[in-house]
Amino acid sequence: MTAAHMTFPKAPATALDIGPARPSDGADLWRIARAAEDLDLNSPYSYLLWCRDFADTTAVARDATGRPIGFVTGYLRPQAPRTLFVWQVAVDGSHRGTGVAGALLDALAARVAAAGHGPLRIEATVTPGNVASDRLFRSFARRHGAALTREVLFAADDFPADASGASEAAGVPGAPGLAAQGPAAHEPEVLYGIGPLTRPVPVTRPVPVP
């Protein structure tokens, strides 16, 4: 699929729509991120700015009412404009485990590639304890038939000791505020590199939610 929006059947009377972010989505993205596990929460202002300035490299999944129920935020790296860095992936609790995250990644990769940025490479960082994200990106690489590499991008010592509970005023690249939650010591951020993506992007369809 190369269209900006991808619609996936969920049930006879409902559909899941995936498309670019809108400035009005910022508050909902912050709400979803706040409820997510293993995700650094940034300030509401950072999500509002992201939805305005990086809408084209962000994907938002909406239910039949138009309410955001999941998102992927990303940006094209200035030093490597064919590399899409995936900053955050989060899905509302009522839709987790239904394939929404994978569908979001596929839709965003397809849209960015269609905009002329392919062959595309995907990057993201995952902490060692985040099993769900590890599975998500390994599955994405398998669907695309792409190689996956891993290396430590930021060691635990790179983060301030008092990062726990902190919140950046704005998270924008190249300093997308990583505000740790939980223990004061931030886990290392392992860089996952996937690509190049040379085959057509497969469509991942979320599992219907009753």
Side-chain angles (χ1 to χ4, degrees):
M1 292 288 289
T2 57
H5 288 71
M6 301 173 70
T7 301
F8 305 96
K10 283 180 59 183
T14 62
L16 185 65
D17 181 75
I18 297 179
R22 307 165 186 164
S24 58
D25 291 332
D28 283 314
L29 268 58
W30 179 82
R31 172 186 57 80
I32 294 170
R34 182 181 61 176
E37 299 176 359
D38 298 319
L39 189 67
D40 292 334
L41 180 65
N42 294 270
S43 71
Y45 183 55
S46 69
Y47 293 96
L48 288 167
L49 278 180
W50 203 281
C51 289
R52 187 195 74 161
D53 293 340
F54 300 98
D56 290 342
T57 51
T58 293
V60 177
R62 307 175 194 279
D63 63 16
T65 69
R67 180 179 68 93
I69 55 87
F71 69 86
V72 174
T73 53
Y75 62 90
L76 294 172
R77 293 186 58 207
Q79 300 88 346
R82 292 186 176 181
T83 296
L84 173 68
F85 184 88
V86 175
W87 181 37
Q88 288 190 325
V89 182
V91 176
D92 185 86
S94 62
H95 288 77
R96 289 177 197 156
T98 63
V100 173
L104 281 161
L105 278 176
D106 284 347
L108 182 57
R111 186 184 346 130
V112 174
H117 298 292
L120 194 65
R121 175 178 168 84
I122 304 291
E123 288 187 347
T125 61
V126 178
T127 55
N130 193 336
V131 177
S133 290
D134 176 77
R135 290 175 178 169
L136 175 67
F137 289 109
R138 288 183 182 275
S139 177
F140 179 86
R142 287 194 298 270
R143 287 198 304 278
H144 289 263
L148 185 151
T149 61
R150 296 190 305 159
E151 61 179 301
V152 174
L153 180 64
F154 298 117
D157 291 345
D158 291 329
F159 294 93
D162 58 351
S164 179
S167 179
E168 298 290 340
V172 297
L178 291 171
Q181 295 176 314
H186 197 294
E187 288 189 274
E189 291 283 354
V190 179
L191 180 68
Y192 284 49
I194 302 172
L197 308 182
T198 56
R199 64 168 67 167
V201 176
V203 176
T204 300
R205 300 183 182 277
V207 177
V209 177

